[in-house]
Amino acid sequence: MPGICETTEYEACVYRHEFIERKQITMDKMKMDEMERSKMKLDQIKKYVLGTPIETDAAIYEVQAAALPCPYVEMDAQAMEISCLLGKHDIVYGLGQQVRGINKRGWKYTSFCSDDPNHTENKESLYAAHNFLVVAGQKPFGIFLDTPEKVSFDIGYSRPDRLSIRLCSWNANCYLIEGDSAYEIVRSFRKLIGPSYLPPKWAFGFGQSRWGYRNQQDIEEVLAGYEENNFPLDMIYLDIDYMDRYMDFTVDGEKFPDFPQFVEKMAHKGIHLVPIIDAGIKVQEGYGVYEEGVEKGYFCKDEEGRDFVGAVWPGRVHFPDMLQEEVRRWFGEKYKILLDQGIEGFWNDMNEPAIFYSEKHLGEVFCKLEDYKGKNLDIDSFFEMRDLVQGLSNYEEDYQSFYHRYQGESIRHDRVHNMYGYCMTRAASEAFGRLAPGKRILLFSRASYLGMHRYGGIWMGDNHSWWSHLLLSLKMLANLNMCGFLYTGPDLGGFGSNTTEDLLLRWYALGIFMPLMRNHSALGTRRQETYQFTDKESLRGILRLRYMLLPYLYSEYMKAALRDDLYAKPLAFVFPDDPHAERIEDQLLIGESVMIAPVYEQNARGRNVYLPEEMKLYRMRSPEDMEEETLAKGFHYVQAEVNEVLLFVRAGKLVPVARAANRVAEVDMERLGLLGYVACEDAVYELYDDDGSSRDCSLEGHIRRITPIEAAETAAE
Amino acid sequence: MPGICETTEYEACVYRHEFIERKQITMDKMKMDEMERSKMKLDQIKKYVLGTPIETDAAIYEVQAAALPCPYVEMDAQAMEISCLLGKHDIVYGLGQQVRGINKRGWKYTSFCSDDPNHTENKESLYAAHNFLVVAGQKPFGIFLDTPEKVSFDIGYSRPDRLSIRLCSWNANCYLIEGDSAYEIVRSFRKLIGPSYLPPKWAFGFGQSRWGYRNQQDIEEVLAGYEENNFPLDMIYLDIDYMDRYMDFTVDGEKFPDFPQFVEKMAHKGIHLVPIIDAGIKVQEGYGVYEEGVEKGYFCKDEEGRDFVGAVWPGRVHFPDMLQEEVRRWFGEKYKILLDQGIEGFWNDMNEPAIFYSEKHLGEVFCKLEDYKGKNLDIDSFFEMRDLVQGLSNYEEDYQSFYHRYQGESIRHDRVHNMYGYCMTRAASEAFGRLAPGKRILLFSRASYLGMHRYGGIWMGDNHSWWSHLLLSLKMLANLNMCGFLYTGPDLGGFGSNTTEDLLLRWYALGIFMPLMRNHSALGTRRQETYQFTDKESLRGILRLRYMLLPYLYSEYMKAALRDDLYAKPLAFVFPDDPHAERIEDQLLIGESVMIAPVYEQNARGRNVYLPEEMKLYRMRSPEDMEEETLAKGFHYVQAEVNEVLLFVRAGKLVPVARAANRVAEVDMERLGLLGYVACEDAVYELYDDDGSSRDCSLEGHIRRITPIEAAETAAE
């Protein structure tokens, strides 16, 4: 039974929804654990230089090149293959944003940033290129292939006992990372690639999005829907609809007659508008960004040296050559147009870059269609024709037909493809440093490469309203954290396809633990704003739990980011000697105190959960309605109705909670309660908190220790 | 510990792989359980006649029409909707071949036979129309909408608490079925629609298939691959490749210079060749089936009364008007061409019917493409164009543009669409009755309607090499059994996409319990014959378990079919009062003695299993390598390596097993062992066995009772 507890420095209430005001706080300067730090020494990292690598700036430290052979893998320059044998039960972690499990074994993957909205198991590429793997076997090691070209990974697919990594050309920096455990290796790697992006605190609120909000009235209706139902909300996202003919950095004046005023009005209600920015710039006379880009020669060139023309949402576009620092600087400054109108957050999209078609290839296809028309179409020709049209988008040869200037040379796009979205987001992030120097701006991207995690988060891409994608988002969260992408989350409820109320409830129950928590859906699908569904009480309860947990979630995020640590971890990272823990693919540790185990099966009323140690289970329906029980180490079937969130608190750990509010800014971080082992004398929680918006985010000065000293007897009363 | 046991009538060995010859068998005439039978009384079924229903012959009994109102559902002729409220935790069973769970609640489904190879969660139609539901709530009832038109089911999708069934026209026979439990209702329904198809015993062997075996040599290579590895095999399937230009009932003479001789040669080796038959007849001068069909007017007509032209594998085809008895008779006789060459089994395909395109619509599309070419294509037009080409196949308007003659009238195809594949399979089945009167012929179909289960089985359609489809095949098995389709199974390993060795092993571990057990894959995917993979010992072990289990599987199948019962059941059907059992979606009861719980997660080394009562677990790697333990009622985490099959035997039940062989015909049904509760004095097993090929399959005369009388002490030795 939880009871009210007191500490010398801190007074907190843990009895459900009662909160007592804090009387005094003693700031306690965080002391870095030197033992821990020493584990992450960079001398555990070796770099092997293959050929003449293209610099990506993914690593922030210069690592001395080592001499071959490498003790862990075979490197075959002829075959352009890096390989090793896998032990029968070795686990392979990594690859960040990819399909399948936390353990990537048993499939082949390709790093080639791709706009593919059907994330089925057989896919090899999503939007990212996260070329980092950990082989967790008897002698664990990590490997990071730093090259912006396409890379293929065969992780026990062709042969169950073999890992093979194939390059397109023998040019890459290959980092080998040693360590005693997968977790230690990941932390060294994270040190190598530098600190994760820090969003403002309001970005930990809940956001509503949809492709298809037609105007200001639609946005206001959304807010009204939330307010009328007393649902919390911090953000409304603006998908491509807000722009004038899909031109970046414009706002359609008919849809939003006075955009700055509208932004202010929404801000006054505590709502942040977060517009989308696409990679391609519309070819349009009179459009400043286009005209400037052409004039300055800032766009990617085709084989003949003309500005390359692709087609995306705006129709014909040019792609800014984001690899050039000067272009990045120019493109980044454009965000000022929206910053000046009161915008404080952005999402960068279509930056793989997605190409619906190129003019050149479309012409070729039309010519071939002409041929088919004349012929008496046989079945082979029919399928050929269908594939031809289907294959217009993201056509491989299009990516081989335009050029960047990079480090003084002209370089064909496919050789640097995986850096494009990264460079776009870097452009924005670096500009924010200049344009809003003291301030954290929300920024996340669809495409990414390792290293981009320093500049922004990513969302998990255009998923579907599938139960399997609920689970996939949990698995992806673990591997993204290993790659430094801490600020991330899926489109809750699912982007494509039609959602259902129970899927949304269950996905929210996971989503409240995702740093990026938003509901987003595609044009043409069922409306899926929270207020569209019937069981508003349950929906409200779960959303409010997010705000109740905010002190913990924000604190754990910031500590993880500032310590190059993981916000979300597979169980095995913390319980490495537990043979069950290492196989758990549907539970995660969130921060230092919490384990989550969401239900991801339709019509289920509970699920099996593995506890690697004794834990306290909170079965929560809302901040005001939860019950607690202690469960022993082992497997348990745990009931969880569709309106219930399962939160497990680790033995001896604490979870600070706040009184729920409808805006992050309204969450009172000074009056906290505690969940967890509050009757345990050793329990300590290090709470990180700050002003939530300034860039002064060092651990020093922002950590306070919460130590309940209440005796077990008091709690038992 | 299992030990050797003896019975008065029967001697069986249960100690793993030792077998003792049977000394004597006392035939024991099966006595029908009158209590059981009385539960299935047809007077629990009420028929409501809506409008003027089109006769489908789905029901085999004439049920007196009842007067409205119906006590269970509201019928709104205006809205063409049948609806009712659902209790919060009501479970809805049924719909046979569909996506999602055993419990269909929380989605919308459409009965419109469709050739769609992407069975993702958001799909509404697969290949079948199985309009039967059971609402298992406080007052359970079943509902069967007998109409060959499109029917839509909204099962708690729009509103979680409401079931709505929408018709295209207010013409249907609506059967309402009462009973005390879902199981009882299902059994009454099964009685209404008549007995399930009985395949020959060899059809319970394992079969290899692939789209793309080019000729006789390819087939021989497959057999050699199996023989060299000592893998069991009974069937090799012939996909469309064997035909001359995809013309039904032809064999390509270049690929198979002497087909009858080849069939005989294979038969001599114990291998049955199973050719595919497609629905469409190639438009080809000189092709007898085509010319006869045209001459006799046997093809479906277009609006102008000409033979309708669709395009499928052979290019331009006509569709035989399978709804006409005369046409069915004619088409059915054509199978004789292959029967006469030694063929004893067939699979009917593309009989939704699939239409890649119609000439008419293709012309329209080419015209529109012309327009696009002229225009400066904007993005909306681009997507329009893409959708246009993508939408050529199975285009809704094509199904509204041809006609059948049925019961003296001309009727537009869409009004009878869901009967087409059913009628094709009926044509074959009825012909077999005439052409091979005493003999069981293997027959299964892709498309189906309720009632077709009397004529043949179905396979689960063109699935993918997805782990999610392994689980889907288990769920589908349960709902298909409710609809009478007992002879069924998925393409093991997956048809589309590339498989992996571990997926194949895990799917085999489920597949050995599927009546139809075959490995099938698509052209262009990774080769997936069993011998293509490395761990041949494990693969062999699992395949041989199928043959070891044959006495049980065959016996349970035949008893279920002859008793209008289920071969595979959800746990809740047998343990209706167990609140956990009713939520289990990843385990099934197979026959009266066995529960299965396959692993369907990549890289797992076990899984959670719920036991609704004490059971014996056999962890089996091969017939020669297994161990046993007794597990109590409740949840258990059970280890299961990738080479292990989990078989649970119910308390007090027995499983007769044979010495494994490489052909069904070689399985010695006279020398059996027993798994299960052999030390339990009450344990009885009723074994069905027959000659495996003749149509004399009554229960009487083919059941023998196996009763181990060995004392518990003996077993314990």
Side-chain angles (χ1 to χ4, degrees):
Chain A
M1 279 282 89
I4 294 167
C5 69
E6 291 200 356
T7 78
T8 39
E9 309 114 323
Y10 187 82
E11 195 177 306
C13 161
V14 292
Y15 191 68
R16 299 207 182 121
H17 48 285
E18 283 178 45
F19 289 84
I20 292 167
E21 272 194 69
R22 181 174 64 92
K23 285 184 191 140
Q24 77 183 89
I25 288 177
T26 307
M27 289 308 204
D28 196 331
K29 276 209 175 178
M30 168 64 195
K31 286 188 202 90
M32 291 304 287
D33 184 329
E34 286 307 323
M35 283 291 288
E36 188 81 29
R37 282 267 142 178
S38 72
K39 279 189 193 164
M40 295 182 290
K41 270 185 198 150
L42 286 168
D43 59 16
Q44 288 183 306
I45 302 179
K46 289 190 175 58
K47 180 166 92 173
Y48 299 88
V49 180
L50 315 180
T52 315
I54 295 169
E55 184 52 59
T56 66
D57 293 345
I60 61 163
Y61 292 102
E62 193 49 66
V63 178
Q64 202 68 38
L68 287 166
C70 165
Y72 292 90
V73 292
E74 267 184 56
M75 295 196 184
D76 183 342
Q78 207 93 52
M80 295 196 282
E81 188 192 34
I82 297 167
S83 66
C84 69
L85 290 180
L86 297 171
K88 196 169 176 189
H89 297 303
D90 289 0
I91 290 173
V92 183
Y93 296 105
L95 293 187
Q97 188 185 47
Q98 267 293 4
V99 297
R100 300 212 174 206
I102 296 174
N103 182 353
K104 307 314 286 183
R105 197 161 173 175
W107 191 237
K108 55 196 166 100
Y109 308 86
T110 302
S111 281
F112 190 78
C113 300
S114 302
D115 172 22
D116 182 338
N118 290 303
H119 310 167
T120 48
E121 287 173 40
N122 55 305
K123 292 303 165 75
E124 296 178 23
S125 299
L126 296 182
Y127 311 87
H130 298 157
N131 304 334
F132 169 62
L133 288 179
V134 180
V135 178
Q138 221 171 356
K139 202 179 164 194
F141 68 94
I143 183 165
F144 163 35
L145 264 293
D146 188 12
T147 164
E149 282 186 288
K150 187 189 279 189
V151 182
S152 303
F153 300 85
D154 180 330
I155 310 178
Y157 166 76
S158 295
R159 272 179 53 185
D161 64 345
R162 192 162 179 271
L163 166 68
S164 150
I165 304 170
R166 271 174 194 276
L167 304 177
C168 284
S169 76
W170 197 244
N171 299 300
N173 283 313
C174 175
Y175 295 88
L176 256 290
I177 305 156
E178 300 182 292
D180 290 336
S181 70
Y183 187 23
E184 191 188 318
I185 288 162
V186 166
R187 295 203 65 185
S188 296
F189 170 66
R190 290 281 308 285
K191 200 172 161 66
L192 174 70
I193 59 171
S196 291
Y197 163 72
L198 299 175
K201 196 194 275 184
W202 58 262
F204 290 82
F206 172 73
Q208 181 63 58
S209 185
R210 182 173 173 89
W211 168 24
Y213 293 147
R214 292 159 305 170
N215 50 36
Q216 187 166 318
Q217 288 68 46
D218 277 2
I219 305 290
E220 280 173 333
E221 244 176 57
V222 170
L223 178 57
Y226 274 85
E227 291 195 328
E228 280 158 21
N229 288 288
N230 197 24
F231 291 150
L233 186 72
D234 268 272
M235 284 156 278
I236 299 178
Y237 288 86
L238 303 178
D239 207 324
I240 51 172
D241 321 278
Y242 79 93
M243 292 187 246
D244 176 11
R245 287 164 290 163
Y246 308 129
M247 293 186 291
D248 277 346
F249 312 112
T250 69
V251 176
D252 187 318
E254 282 192 23
K255 296 170 175 174
F256 298 90
D258 187 339
F259 190 65
Q261 196 193 34
F262 182 61
V263 174
E264 199 193 331
K265 183 178 165 190
M266 296 304 276
H268 190 70
K269 294 183 175 189
I271 298 298
H272 299 263
L273 295 179
V274 185
I276 201 167
I277 303 292
D278 280 1
I281 296 298
K282 185 174 177 65
V283 174
Q284 178 70 50
E285 298 303 318
Y287 167 37
V289 184
Y290 160 73
E291 291 187 339
E292 252 180 69
V294 170
E295 194 196 308
K296 296 187 171 166
Y298 283 166
F299 295 123
C300 293
K301 305 290 182 233
D302 67 14
E303 280 121 337
E304 281 82 37
R306 293 168 308 205
D307 292 333
F308 174 77
V309 180
V312 207
W313 295 118
R316 302 168 78 238
V317 303
H318 295 325
F319 292 109
D321 187 359
M322 304 285 187
L323 276 70
Q324 296 182 43
E325 201 182 326
E326 189 184 334
V327 177
R328 279 205 299 277
R329 206 176 166 89
W330 166 75
F331 189 82
E333 296 294 323
K334 298 297 168 208
Y335 286 82
K336 186 169 188 298
I337 298 167
L338 290 160
L339 288 173
D340 286 349
Q341 297 179 66
I343 294 299
E344 297 169 300
F346 300 88
W347 43 317
N348 287 343
D349 194 15
M350 306 298 283
N351 52 359
E352 293 73 25
I355 302 177
F356 292 160
Y357 61 88
S358 68
E359 292 212 318
K360 188 181 155 205
H361 186 50
L362 184 68
E364 291 162 5
V365 169
F366 272 126
C367 276
K368 284 195 195 164
L369 290 177
E370 198 85 339
D371 284 359
Y372 290 127
K373 200 193 168 183
K375 274 200 265 186
N376 187 353
L377 202 65
D378 67 7
I379 282 301
D380 291 341
S381 312
F382 167 71
F383 282 113
E384 223 173 85
M385 171 185 118
R386 213 169 67 167
D387 292 350
L388 210 58
V389 173
Q390 205 55 35
L392 272 166
S393 295
N394 307 316
Y395 180 60
E396 190 160 1
E397 285 181 28
D398 284 341
Y399 292 116
Q400 296 162 1
S401 69
F402 63 97
Y403 293 81
H404 299 263
R405 290 235 33 111
Y406 188 51
Q407 301 184 321
E409 278 178 69
S410 172
I411 190 161
R412 209 173 72 179
H413 175 78
D414 56 324
R415 294 212 54 209
V416 292
H417 175 74
N418 289 334
M419 278 176 82
Y420 190 82
Y422 162 29
C423 290
M424 178 191 179
T425 299
R426 182 175 178 177
S429 171
E430 289 176 343
F432 299 154
R434 298 186 301 270
L435 301 169
K439 191 170 166 183
R440 283 181 259 163
I441 301 288
L442 172 61
L443 179 62
F444 57 90
S445 171
R446 193 169 72 185
S448 63
Y449 182 75
L450 289 167
M452 201 203 82
H453 70 289
R454 301 194 300 269
Y455 302 107
I458 57 174
W459 87 99
M460 291 173 181
D462 296 343
N463 63 2
H464 273 269
S465 298
W466 294 345
W467 290 83
S468 58
H469 277 181
L470 191 171
L471 180 57
L472 180 62
S473 67
L474 178 145
K475 296 177 181 186
M476 211 184 262
L477 183 65
N479 285 311
L480 283 175
N481 267 253
M482 296 178 210
C483 294
F485 291 93
L486 305 192
Y487 191 74
T488 188
D491 287 342
L492 300 174
F495 177 68
S497 307
N498 294 313
T499 203
T500 59
E501 179 166 334
D502 54 352
L503 177 58
L504 192 68
L505 278 162
R506 293 296 196 190
W507 217 332
Y508 278 178
L510 168 60
I512 61 171
F513 300 101
M514 295 277 177
L516 166 52
M517 184 186 184
R518 75 162 180 175
N519 172 330
H520 182 42
S521 57
L523 190 70
T525 62
R526 182 183 196 175
R527 287 295 294 258
Q528 76 181 33
E529 294 81 9
T530 312
Y531 54 83
Q532 305 284 357
F533 299 91
T534 55
D535 187 2
K536 297 195 170 58
E537 190 186 335
S538 298
L539 289 157
R540 185 184 308 115
I542 297 183
L543 288 181
R544 294 180 72 249
L545 286 169
R546 165 69 165 206
Y547 287 75
M548 177 192 90
L549 288 166
L550 189 78
Y552 177 75
L553 300 174
Y554 183 64
S555 169
E556 289 301 317
Y557 182 94
M558 295 299 282
K559 288 189 294 183
L562 293 167
R563 289 172 179 161
D564 299 332
D565 203 343
L566 286 78
Y567 164 83
K569 291 187 271 289
L571 271 53
F573 277 29
V574 176
F575 303 95
D577 301 323
D578 182 327
H580 292 307
E582 71 173 21
R583 297 288 151 184
I584 299 295
E585 293 262 345
D586 58 1
Q587 304 172 206
L588 286 180
L589 295 163
I590 298 293
E592 66 167 62
S593 308
V594 167
M595 184 177 82
I596 58 169
V599 172
Y600 49 87
E601 188 191 312
Q602 191 163 30
N603 297 311
R605 300 182 63 184
R607 54 160 288 174
N608 291 291
V609 181
Y610 177 67
L611 273 64
E613 63 181 5
E614 182 196 283
M615 292 185 182
K616 281 207 178 161
L617 161 63
Y618 290 85
R619 188 180 283 104
M620 311 190 295
R621 287 167 288 275
S622 76
E624 295 76 30
D625 184 12
M626 61 177 77
E627 63 244 10
E628 174 192 337
E629 67 180 303
T630 301
L631 294 177
K633 175 184 160 106
F635 288 94
H636 296 267
Y637 176 82
V638 179
Q639 286 218 265
E641 299 292 348
V642 74
N643 61 338
E644 292 178 331
V645 177
L646 302 177
L647 179 138
F648 298 84
V649 183
R650 291 185 56 199
K653 303 282 185 186
L654 299 170
V655 178
V657 293
R659 197 187 292 271
N662 282 342
R663 301 285 180 270
V664 165
E666 292 166 13
V667 174
D668 184 352
M669 299 287 275
E670 303 301 308
R671 305 200 309 171
L672 301 180
L674 288 176
L675 301 179
Y677 282 75
V678 290
C680 167
E681 281 181 56
D682 302 336
V684 180
Y685 184 76
E686 288 185 336
L687 181 78
Y688 176 97
D689 193 29
D690 60 17
D691 67 8
S693 63
S694 82
R695 288 188 181 237
D696 165 26
C697 306
S698 62
L699 288 166
E700 296 78 17
H702 293 111
I703 292 270
R704 56 196 198 218
R705 290 167 65 88
I706 302 175
T707 318
I709 53 154
E710 175 207 40
E713 305 88 62
T714 318
E717 273 166 22
Chain B
M1 278 280 89
I4 294 169
C5 69
E6 291 199 356
T7 78
T8 39
E9 309 113 320
Y10 188 82
E11 196 177 305
C13 160
V14 292
Y15 192 69
R16 299 206 183 123
H17 49 284
E18 282 177 48
F19 289 84
I20 293 166
E21 272 195 68
R22 182 174 64 93
K23 284 184 191 138
Q24 78 183 89
I25 288 177
T26 307
M27 289 308 204
D28 196 331
K29 277 210 176 180
M30 168 65 195
K31 288 188 200 87
M32 292 304 287
D33 185 327
E34 288 305 325
M35 283 291 287
E36 189 83 27
R37 282 268 144 177
S38 71
K39 280 189 192 165
M40 295 181 291
K41 272 186 198 150
L42 285 169
D43 57 18
Q44 289 182 305
I45 302 179
K46 289 192 175 56
K47 182 166 92 172
Y48 300 89
V49 180
L50 315 180
T52 315
I54 295 168
E55 183 52 61
T56 67
D57 293 345
I60 62 164
Y61 291 102
E62 194 49 65
V63 179
Q64 202 67 40
L68 287 166
C70 166
Y72 292 90
V73 292
E74 267 183 56
M75 296 195 184
D76 182 343
Q78 205 94 51
M80 295 196 281
E81 188 192 35
I82 297 167
S83 66
C84 69
L85 290 178
L86 297 170
K88 195 169 177 189
H89 298 302
D90 288 1
I91 291 173
V92 183
Y93 296 105
L95 293 187
Q97 187 185 48
Q98 266 293 4
V99 297
R100 301 214 172 202
I102 297 175
N103 182 354
K104 307 314 286 185
R105 195 161 174 174
W107 191 238
K108 55 196 165 102
Y109 309 86
T110 302
S111 281
F112 189 78
C113 300
S114 302
D115 172 24
D116 182 338
N118 291 305
H119 310 169
T120 48
E121 287 172 40
N122 55 305
K123 292 303 165 77
E124 295 178 22
S125 299
L126 297 181
Y127 311 88
H130 298 157
N131 305 336
F132 170 61
L133 288 179
V134 180
V135 177
Q138 224 172 354
K139 201 178 166 198
F141 69 94
I143 183 164
F144 163 35
L145 263 294
D146 188 12
T147 164
E149 283 187 285
K150 187 189 279 190
V151 182
S152 302
F153 301 85
D154 180 329
I155 310 179
Y157 165 78
S158 296
R159 271 179 52 185
D161 64 344
R162 190 162 181 273
L163 166 68
S164 149
I165 304 171
R166 271 175 194 273
L167 304 177
C168 284
S169 75
W170 198 245
N171 299 299
N173 283 312
C174 175
Y175 295 88
L176 256 289
I177 306 157
E178 301 181 291
D180 290 337
S181 70
Y183 187 22
E184 191 189 317
I185 289 162
V186 165
R187 295 202 66 186
S188 297
F189 170 66
R190 289 282 308 284
K191 199 171 162 66
L192 174 70
I193 59 170
S196 291
Y197 163 71
L198 299 175
K201 194 194 274 183
W202 58 261
F204 291 82
F206 172 73
Q208 181 63 56
S209 185
R210 184 175 172 86
W211 169 24
Y213 293 148
R214 291 160 305 172
N215 50 37
Q216 187 166 319
Q217 287 70 47
D218 277 2
I219 305 291
E220 280 172 333
E221 245 176 56
V222 170
L223 178 57
Y226 274 84
E227 290 195 327
E228 279 159 22
N229 288 289
N230 197 26
F231 291 150
L233 186 73
D234 267 271
M235 286 156 275
I236 300 178
Y237 288 87
L238 304 177
D239 206 324
I240 52 171
D241 321 279
Y242 80 93
M243 293 186 245
D244 176 11
R245 288 165 289 164
Y246 308 129
M247 292 186 291
D248 277 347
F249 312 112
T250 69
V251 175
D252 187 318
E254 283 193 23
K255 297 170 173 175
F256 299 90
D258 187 340
F259 190 65
Q261 195 194 35
F262 181 62
V263 175
E264 198 193 332
K265 184 178 164 189
M266 296 303 276
H268 189 71
K269 295 183 175 188
I271 299 298
H272 300 263
L273 295 179
V274 184
I276 201 168
I277 303 293
D278 280 0
I281 296 298
K282 186 175 175 65
V283 174
Q284 179 70 50
E285 298 302 318
Y287 167 37
V289 184
Y290 160 73
E291 292 187 338
E292 251 180 70
V294 170
E295 195 196 309
K296 296 187 170 165
Y298 282 167
F299 296 125
C300 293
K301 305 291 182 236
D302 67 14
E303 279 120 338
E304 280 82 36
R306 292 167 309 204
D307 292 332
F308 173 77
V309 181
V312 207
W313 294 118
R316 303 169 77 236
V317 302
H318 295 325
F319 292 110
D321 187 358
M322 303 286 186
L323 276 69
Q324 296 182 42
E325 201 181 328
E326 189 184 335
V327 177
R328 279 206 299 278
R329 206 177 167 90
W330 166 75
F331 190 81
E333 295 294 322
K334 298 297 168 207
Y335 286 82
K336 186 169 188 299
I337 298 166
L338 289 160
L339 289 173
D340 286 349
Q341 297 179 67
I343 294 299
E344 297 169 301
F346 299 88
W347 43 317
N348 287 345
D349 194 15
M350 307 298 284
N351 52 358
E352 293 73 24
I355 302 177
F356 292 161
Y357 61 88
S358 69
E359 291 212 318
K360 188 180 154 207
H361 185 51
L362 184 68
E364 291 161 4
V365 169
F366 271 126
C367 275
K368 285 197 195 163
L369 291 176
E370 198 86 338
D371 284 358
Y372 291 127
K373 202 193 167 183
K375 275 200 262 183
N376 187 355
L377 201 65
D378 67 6
I379 281 301
D380 290 340
S381 311
F382 167 71
F383 282 113
E384 222 173 84
M385 171 185 116
R386 213 169 68 168
D387 293 350
L388 210 58
V389 172
Q390 206 54 36
L392 272 167
S393 296
N394 307 316
Y395 180 60
E396 190 160 2
E397 286 181 28
D398 284 341
Y399 291 116
Q400 297 162 0
S401 69
F402 63 97
Y403 294 80
H404 299 264
R405 289 232 39 106
Y406 188 51
Q407 301 184 318
E409 280 178 68
S410 173
I411 189 160
R412 208 171 73 178
H413 175 77
D414 56 324
R415 293 211 55 209
V416 291
H417 175 76
N418 288 333
M419 277 175 84
Y420 190 82
Y422 162 29
C423 289
M424 177 192 181
T425 298
R426 181 175 179 178
S429 171
E430 289 177 343
F432 299 154
R434 299 185 300 268
L435 301 168
K439 194 169 164 183
R440 283 182 260 165
I441 302 289
L442 173 59
L443 179 63
F444 57 90
S445 171
R446 193 169 70 185
S448 63
Y449 182 76
L450 290 167
M452 202 204 83
H453 71 289
R454 302 193 300 269
Y455 303 106
I458 58 173
W459 87 99
M460 291 175 181
D462 296 343
N463 63 3
H464 273 268
S465 298
W466 295 345
W467 290 82
S468 58
H469 278 181
L470 191 170
L471 180 57
L472 180 62
S473 67
L474 176 145
K475 296 176 181 186
M476 212 184 262
L477 183 65
N479 286 311
L480 282 175
N481 266 254
M482 296 177 210
C483 295
F485 291 92
L486 305 191
Y487 190 74
T488 188
D491 287 343
L492 299 174
F495 178 69
S497 306
N498 293 313
T499 202
T500 59
E501 180 167 334
D502 54 352
L503 178 59
L504 193 68
L505 277 161
R506 292 296 196 189
W507 217 332
Y508 277 179
L510 168 61
I512 62 172
F513 299 100
M514 294 277 177
L516 166 52
M517 185 188 183
R518 75 164 179 175
N519 172 331
H520 183 42
S521 57
L523 189 70
T525 63
R526 184 183 196 176
R527 287 295 292 258
Q528 76 181 33
E529 295 82 7
T530 313
Y531 53 83
Q532 305 285 358
F533 299 90
T534 55
D535 187 2
K536 298 195 169 56
E537 191 187 334
S538 298
L539 289 158
R540 185 185 308 114
I542 296 182
L543 288 181
R544 294 180 71 249
L545 286 170
R546 165 71 165 204
Y547 287 74
M548 178 192 90
L549 289 166
L550 189 77
Y552 178 75
L553 300 174
Y554 184 64
S555 168
E556 290 301 317
Y557 182 95
M558 295 299 281
K559 287 189 294 183
L562 293 167
R563 290 173 180 161
D564 299 331
D565 203 343
L566 285 78
Y567 164 84
K569 291 187 271 289
L571 271 54
F573 278 30
V574 177
F575 303 95
D577 300 322
D578 182 328
H580 292 306
E582 70 172 21
R583 297 288 150 183
I584 299 294
E585 291 263 344
D586 58 1
Q587 305 173 205
L588 287 179
L589 294 163
I590 299 292
E592 66 167 62
S593 308
V594 167
M595 184 179 81
I596 59 169
V599 172
Y600 50 88
E601 187 191 312
Q602 190 163 32
N603 298 310
R605 299 181 64 184
R607 57 161 286 176
N608 291 291
V609 180
Y610 176 68
L611 274 63
E613 63 181 4
E614 182 196 281
M615 293 186 182
K616 281 206 177 161
L617 161 63
Y618 290 85
R619 187 181 283 104
M620 311 190 295
R621 288 167 288 275
S622 76
E624 295 77 29
D625 184 11
M626 61 177 77
E627 64 244 10
E628 174 192 336
E629 66 182 303
T630 301
L631 294 177
K633 174 184 160 104
F635 288 95
H636 296 267
Y637 176 82
V638 179
Q639 287 218 266
E641 298 291 348
V642 74
N643 61 338
E644 291 177 332
V645 177
L646 301 177
L647 179 138
F648 298 84
V649 183
R650 292 185 54 200
K653 303 282 184 184
L654 299 170
V655 178
V657 294
R659 198 187 293 272
N662 282 343
R663 301 286 181 270
V664 165
E666 291 167 14
V667 174
D668 185 350
M669 300 286 276
E670 305 299 306
R671 305 200 309 172
L672 301 179
L674 288 175
L675 302 178
Y677 282 76
V678 291
C680 166
E681 281 181 58
D682 301 337
V684 180
Y685 183 77
E686 288 184 337
L687 182 78
Y688 176 97
D689 193 29
D690 60 17
D691 67 8
S693 63
S694 82
R695 288 186 182 237
D696 166 25
C697 305
S698 62
L699 288 166
E700 297 77 18
H702 292 112
I703 292 271
R704 56 198 199 217
R705 289 167 64 88
I706 301 175
T707 319
I709 53 153
E710 175 207 41
E713 305 87 61
T714 318
E717 272 167 22

